[in-house]
Amino acid sequence: MKLTRRVFIELAGSSALMASAPSLLAQGVTVKRLPLPCSPAQGRWIGSACQGCTQYCAIEVFNQNGRATRVRGNQHSQGNHGFCCPRGHLIPQENYDPDRIKQPLKRTNPQKGRGIDPKWIPITWDEALDIVADKMMELRNAG
């Protein structure tokens, strides 16, 4: 047998452990037990489709007290075979992020570029839809 550095370290470690085992047992070393699994969470899985990319994978969202808490791939789907990519698992974080945009915003600074503040102001949904409709009509009339 060729004695390599790895084999030497393995032999030294195992012999040191065997030599100290009787003294460790005499000191009353306790084995740390893992906690027992808790009861299943109260809630239900609701089928849906992930919109994280263009695949629209079949997913199931775990609903607890009206709030989405977990996401997994739909177990009965033949398309993704019960799996979900990281984008799908981030759906609860996207929905409940305190910094998410909750209403339409309008740019008030016409200058664009890196380091230029767009000076967003909140507007109502009616205003936003009117702006979009006016722009679409302008483009349509321009051909």
Side-chain angles (χ1 to χ4, degrees), residues 6-101:
R6 179 181 297 266
V7 172
F8 175 76
I9 292 173
E10 288 174 354
L11 289 173
S14 61
S15 62
L17 180 65
M18 291 178 68
S20 64
S23 63
L24 288 175
L25 291 176
Q27 293 174 2
V29 174
T30 59
V31 177
K32 185 174 184 179
R33 295 182 184 267
L34 296 175
L36 295 174
C38 61
S39 63
Q42 297 298 317
R44 65 187 186 117
W45 290 98
I46 300 172
S48 184
C50 177
Q51 296 178 358
C53 64
T54 58
Q55 294 295 326
Y56 296 100
C57 294
I59 60 171
E60 293 178 322
V61 180
F62 193 68
N63 186 345
Q64 283 183 306
N65 301 325
R67 188 176 177 96
T69 56
R70 286 184 280 168
V71 175
R72 70 178 182 195
N74 191 326
Q75 306 298 310
H76 304 292
S77 172
Q78 295 297 318
N80 58 0
H81 304 290
F83 293 102
C84 183
C85 73
R87 286 183 180 181
H89 290 292
L90 291 175
I91 289 173
Q93 291 180 4
E94 291 173 358
N95 285 340
Y96 302 117
D97 184 11
D99 296 328
R100 73 186 185 279
I101 298 173

Side-chain angles (χ1 to χ4, degrees), residues 3 22 39 55 84 92 112 123 141 143:
L3 185 64
S39 63
Q55 294 295 326
C84 183
K112 296 180 182 179
I123 60 175
N141 293 336

Side-chain angles (χ1 to χ4, degrees), residues 101 103-112 117-132 134:
I101 298 173
Q103 63 187 20
L105 301 173
K106 181 179 179 182
R107 176 191 289 268
T108 58
N109 187 358
Q111 295 178 345
K112 296 180 182 179
D117 183 19
K119 298 182 182 171
W120 298 108
I121 59 167
I123 60 175
T124 65
W125 282 103
D126 291 333
E127 289 178 81
L129 292 173
D130 288 342
I131 291 170
V132 171
D134 291 342

